[in-house]
């Protein structure tokens, strides 16, 4: 079922257009992750949906009703911010119940819902604590609880995990997904962290400079990035990008025969190869020198110099010495091709 619909929305601050003609449709039970570099317009997009900013043009619809002219309090949208924004003088119980109190719910109902929400988020034994007595993760949980307690139509989560340490961030990702699947509430989760986006999203909306670059499932964005931007923004280590050419039906510098049905002879292109699609072995087709070997516990990431081209190789099981000569091979079918001028995917 269709839930939120953004119809050609744009937003300018003065002369600067920070969101450009965004059209997007979300399903009722969907978790969309908006991913993009700092300053690309992610928070602005959420603030427009929440009603904290006015649109410059376009319309926002919820279940086919136009909401962009409504006051924020009439939109039934809940937003969670990076810095928690809890009331420091109130206990967890009071913080959780606050949205219901504002909505003039009965005392008994507030107590009931606070207890249920605290249970869902594992905060039952913290109800009488003040925010200052909680860890970062617990505070963020209270902030989430305050958003879910009044059963909004939409959750907007603006980088809610970026103040947490790595371990907790990992656990909260799983938890947010679990809660979202449980409540089946349309959720937009904003992050600049590609790993977070890949691990949490039903679909990812990749934004850059206020424009949609690509919208699709994590697998679609990872396996078929539509542009150099998408190819290099998603994935760790970054996709290797190599200047290439088709010469006499061979892809240079790799010397791979190409039935060039969609790439013109002589045209400049860039070839993308993910680090896991390069393998080091004795009978590899190409010779290179090792320039770095980094240990990550479960793997080594090896950097190679192949004819002055830097290539990262992941998934290696053994350390390599700097300057060591190695052979590697590349699977042609895992290569991505991009037009060098436009940066767009070919084929
Ligand atoms: P993100 O959340 O992706 O980091 P933002 O949506 O916060 O990006 O900001 C997008 C752009 O809009 C930035 O260039 C920012 O400086 C600008 N911007 C955001 N809010 C305002 C505002 N109230 N006035 C002027 N410029 C703003
Ligand atoms: Mg932001």
């Amino acid at each position: 079922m269709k839930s939120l619909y953004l119809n050609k929305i744009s937003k300018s601050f003065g002369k600067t257009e920070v969101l450009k003609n965004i059209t997007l449709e979300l399903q009722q039970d969907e978790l969309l992750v908006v991913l993009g570099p700092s300053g690309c317009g992610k928070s602005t997009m959420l603030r427009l949906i929440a009603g904290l900013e006015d649109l410059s043009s376009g319309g926002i619809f919820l279940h086919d009703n136009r909401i962009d002219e409504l006051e924020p309090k009439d939109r039934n949208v809940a937003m969670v911010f990076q810095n928690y924004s809890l009331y420091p003088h109130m206990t967890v119980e009071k913080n959780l119940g606050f949205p219901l109190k504002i909505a003039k719910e009965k005392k008994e109902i507030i107590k009931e819902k606070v207890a249920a929400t605290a249970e869902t988020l594992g905060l039952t034994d913290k109800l009488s604590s003040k925010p200052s007595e909680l860890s970062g993760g617990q505070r963020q949980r209270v902030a989430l609880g305050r958003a879910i307690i009044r059963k909004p139509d939409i959750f907007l989560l603006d980088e809610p995990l970026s103040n947490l340490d790595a371990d907790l961030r990992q656990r909260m990702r799983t938890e947010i997904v679990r809660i979202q699947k449980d409540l089946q509430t349309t959720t937009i989760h904003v992050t600049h962290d590609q790993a977070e986006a890949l691990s949490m999203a039903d679909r990812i909306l990749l934004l850059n400079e206020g424009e949609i670059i690509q919208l699709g499932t994590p697998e679609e964005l990872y396996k078929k990035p539509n542009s150099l931007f998408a190819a290099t923004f998603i994935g760790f280590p970054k996709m290797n990008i190599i200047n290439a050419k088709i010469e006499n039906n061979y892809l240079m510098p790799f010397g791979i025969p190409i039935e060039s049905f969609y790439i013109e002879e002589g045209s400049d292109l860039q070839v993308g190869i993910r680090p896991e699609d390069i393998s080091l072995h004795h009978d590899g087709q190409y010779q290179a020198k090792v320039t770095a070997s980094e240990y990550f516990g479960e793997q080594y990431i090896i950097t190679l110099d192949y004819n002055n081209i830097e290539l990262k190789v992941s998934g290696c099981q053994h350390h390599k010495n700097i300057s060591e000569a190695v052979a590697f091979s590349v699977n042609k079918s895992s290569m991505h091709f991009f037009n060098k001028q436009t940066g767009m995917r070919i084929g």
Side-chain angles (χ1 to χ4, degrees), residues 42-43 158-159:
K42 304 181 296 297
S43 295
D158 194 359
E159 310 224 20

Side-chain angles (χ1 to χ4, degrees), residues 13 16 34 65 106 116 129 133 138 155-156 158 164 178 195 201 221 270-271 284 305 309 313:
F13 291 108
T16 326
V34 177
N65 300 314
K106 290 204 190 82
S129 307
E133 300 166 302
Q138 289 163 340
F155 293 133
L156 304 173
D158 194 359
L164 306 179
R178 179 182 63 76
L221 269 74
Q270 296 199 291
V271 170
D305 176 356
I309 299 165
V313 185

Side-chain angles (χ1 to χ4, degrees), residues 46-319:
L46 293 195
R47 292 171 61 80
L48 288 167
I49 298 167
L52 305 175
E53 299 283 356
D54 291 326
L55 289 175
S56 300
S57 63
I60 302 176
F61 299 81
L62 184 60
H63 302 132
D64 292 327
N65 300 314
R66 187 151 187 178
I67 61 163
D68 56 89
E69 283 150 352
L70 300 179
E71 292 293 313
K73 67 177 173 45
D74 298 325
R75 297 190 186 195
N76 203 21
V77 163
M79 189 152 165
V80 175
F81 302 90
Q82 179 177 344
N83 53 8
Y84 324 128
S85 49
L86 301 178
Y87 300 106
H89 58 286
M90 290 186 194
T91 61
V92 168
E93 181 171 13
K94 289 264 159 53
N95 265 290
L96 285 174
F98 194 73
L100 300 177
K101 192 172 164 202
I102 294 294
K104 301 201 165 54
E105 273 287 7
K106 290 204 190 82
K107 270 207 172 115
E108 312 82 80
I109 298 200
I110 296 182
K111 211 167 173 66
E112 226 170 80
K113 289 192 175 171
V114 165
T117 305
E119 179 76 39
T120 305
L121 292 164
L123 289 167
T124 304
D125 59 344
K126 298 288 174 203
L127 282 173
S128 49
S129 307
K130 297 269 178 63
S132 60
E133 300 166 302
L134 303 178
S135 68
Q138 289 163 340
R139 277 180 223 164
Q140 193 52 279
R141 246 172 259 222
V142 178
L144 280 175
R146 218 173 34 178
I148 67 179
I149 199 160
R150 57 192 178 90
K151 299 235 167 357
D153 290 310
I154 300 172
F155 293 133
L156 304 173
L157 311 178
D158 194 359
E159 310 224 20
L161 308 183
S162 45
N163 283 349
L164 306 179
D165 65 41
D167 175 47
L168 196 54
R169 199 157 60 217
Q170 194 79 41
R171 278 190 282 143
M172 287 299 289
R173 285 179 191 172
T174 323
E175 200 148 328
I176 289 175
V177 172
R178 179 182 63 76
I179 294 168
Q180 195 272 334
K181 292 296 163 235
D182 202 31
L183 301 175
Q184 304 215 327
T185 302
T186 309
T187 300
I188 304 183
H189 177 103
V190 159
T191 183
H192 61 271
D193 178 342
Q194 56 90 27
E196 188 171 307
L198 287 175
S199 74
M200 293 180 69
D202 292 322
R203 286 191 300 165
I204 295 173
L205 176 80
L206 181 61
L207 269 187
N208 189 33
E209 297 181 349
E211 286 181 290
I212 297 181
I213 302 295
Q214 192 168 4
L215 172 65
T217 64
E219 291 84 358
E220 283 164 355
L221 269 74
Y222 192 81
K223 293 197 173 136
K224 227 174 167 190
N226 67 357
S227 56
L228 279 169
F229 183 86
T232 51
F233 200 82
I234 295 176
F236 174 83
K238 273 191 202 312
M239 187 187 280
N240 296 295
I241 302 293
I242 302 131
N243 287 321
K245 239 188 176 63
I246 308 284
E247 285 170 9
N248 302 321
N249 292 322
Y250 281 87
L251 175 70
M252 303 310 289
F254 293 102
I256 298 174
I258 286 268
E259 311 76 42
S260 129
F261 36 90
Y262 45 74
I263 307 169
E264 261 177 62
E265 179 78 25
S267 61
D268 286 326
L269 55 127
Q270 296 199 291
V271 170
I273 309 172
R274 292 228 180 259
E276 67 268 27
D277 292 327
I278 301 178
S279 47
L280 302 184
H281 50 84
H282 302 301
D283 49 1
Q285 199 181 342
Y286 309 101
Q287 313 301 317
K289 269 205 161 41
V290 173
T291 58
S293 175
E294 296 162 273
Y295 185 50
F296 282 82
E298 81 289 5
Q299 64 167 332
Y300 287 88
I301 294 175
I302 309 286
T303 310
L304 302 180
D305 176 356
Y306 168 63
N307 294 339
N308 293 323
I309 299 165
E310 185 184 281
L311 295 175
K312 296 254 183 212
V313 185
S314 64
C316 304
Q317 290 312 306
H318 303 286
H319 169 75

Side-chain angles (χ1 to χ4, degrees), residues 7-12 15-23 39-41 44-45 48 56-57 207-213:
N7 184 23
K8 297 184 184 153
I9 67 167
S10 296
K11 176 67 182 175
S12 301
K15 281 194 185 130
T16 326
E17 200 177 20
V18 301
L19 272 187
K20 300 167 192 164
N21 204 25
I22 304 284
T23 293
C40 73
T44 302
M45 188 170 151
L48 288 167
S56 300
S57 63
L207 269 187
N208 189 33
E209 297 181 349
E211 286 181 290
I212 297 181
I213 302 295

